[in-house]
Amino acid sequence: MQATTFPPRTANLFTQGLELQTGSALLRFGAARPRPAGRIGWSGDGAVAWLDEPRGHLWSVGDPTAAAGLALRAAHQLPGTVREFTGPRGADVLLGRHLAVTDPVAWLFRWTLDEPPLHPAEERVTELDEAHHGELLAFLGEHSPAHSTGPGSSDVGLWAGIRDAGGRLVACGAMSSLRDSGAPLMASVATDAALRGQGLGAALTSWLTRYAVRRYGFCTLWQLADNTPADRLYTRLGYRNEDPCVAARIGTH
């Protein structure tokens, strides 16, 4: 079914000043600037939303009530197009009064502009190229099956890893990018399950953060809200924690 009424192609996401407010880093770092021709977006009443059309994923920031309203408007104006939603915590409950909202997951979008304190094991980190993709895939499959991105992904610009004395890979991570803006996004950081708690993940995360800050001026990442060890690590590395989000699938009742 085709929508009979389309949102205007204006919806300049940066006219309200929301990107300067606490809790709107996802807009500041995640929305493409300048807006690509044809970008579909909505703004008003203290929230903005923009559509990643190929994925059917609607992103929003701002007041949860207003963000839920924009998501509802988007779903009605583009029926069958909006299949996923990420917005401020609480917007999923409000949206669920009107649409079928399933599989909600609480996230934190975190970011830093500063290099972290130097970790002594950072000297063990090395860059990995295409020749190591098979090794990376096997390592992630064993030690982080739910990894967010894998070797060969077009969004990844760099893989890095740490090896033990015998040359075996014991930790890895990627410098990926946010789809809309191209902003640096740390992803798929994993440590050998038998070696966790020895600081390998901290060293790799510190190294990747330093790499991004020196190259781009900042670094971003997604963290599951209930991941307490990761929360402590990212806080220690200087990542801001101001953007509680929720992601969910959406449909119609």
Side-chain angles (χ1 to χ4, degrees), residues 103-160:
D103 305 320
V105 179
W107 293 89
L108 296 169
F109 180 71
R110 306 190 67 161
W111 55 277
T112 184
L113 305 177
D114 303 314
E115 291 187 31
L118 185 65
H119 191 287
E122 281 186 58
E123 62 184 18
R124 296 177 58 187
V125 178
T126 59
E127 296 187 26
L128 305 174
D129 58 25
E130 291 184 9
H132 301 100
H133 280 186
E135 182 183 21
L136 283 164
L137 187 61
F139 182 83
L140 288 167
E142 180 178 357
H143 300 289
S144 183
H147 55 276
S148 58
T149 192
S153 170
S154 60
D155 295 333
V156 174
L158 171 77
W159 282 96

Side-chain angles (χ1 to χ4, degrees), residues 36-229:
R39 160 65 56 77
I40 299 177
W42 298 258
S43 64
D45 299 323
V48 298
W50 63 100
L51 180 64
D52 178 352
E53 204 166 0
R55 294 175 57 203
H57 195 113
L58 188 78
W59 300 88
S60 67
V61 302
D63 174 75
T65 301
L70 294 181
L72 182 62
R73 187 195 310 175
H76 284 165
Q77 291 179 330
L78 300 174
T81 298
V82 182
R83 301 181 295 275
E84 301 172 349
F85 167 76
T86 295
R89 198 80 52 82
D92 56 320
V93 177
L94 298 169
L95 187 60
R97 298 174 182 174
H98 308 279
L99 299 174
V101 176
T102 60
D103 305 320
V105 179
W107 293 89
L108 296 169
F109 180 71
R110 306 190 67 161
W111 55 277
T112 184
L113 305 177
D114 303 314
E115 291 187 31
L118 185 65
H119 191 287
E122 281 186 58
E123 62 184 18
R124 296 177 58 187
V125 178
T126 59
E127 296 187 26
L128 305 174
D129 58 25
E130 291 184 9
H132 301 100
H133 280 186
E135 182 183 21
L136 283 164
L137 187 61
F139 182 83
L140 288 167
E142 180 178 357
H143 300 289
S144 183
H147 55 276
S148 58
T149 192
S153 170
S154 60
D155 295 333
V156 174
L158 171 77
W159 282 96
I162 296 176
R163 298 185 182 279
D164 64 14
R168 185 175 62 93
L169 191 66
V170 292
C172 73
M175 187 51 61
S176 184
S177 60
L178 291 168
R179 183 183 295 267
D180 281 347
S181 65
L185 175 74
M186 191 189 310
S188 295
V189 175
T191 302
D192 186 309
L195 301 175
R196 288 172 187 164
Q198 298 184 21
L200 298 176
L204 189 61
T205 303
S206 182
W207 188 95
L208 286 167
T209 301
R210 194 178 317 284
Y211 173 92
V213 170
R214 289 183 178 180
R215 189 178 181 91
Y216 306 104
F218 64 101
C219 189
T220 70
L221 58 84
W222 287 100
Q223 177 208 315
L224 283 168
D226 61 358
N227 190 336
T228 302

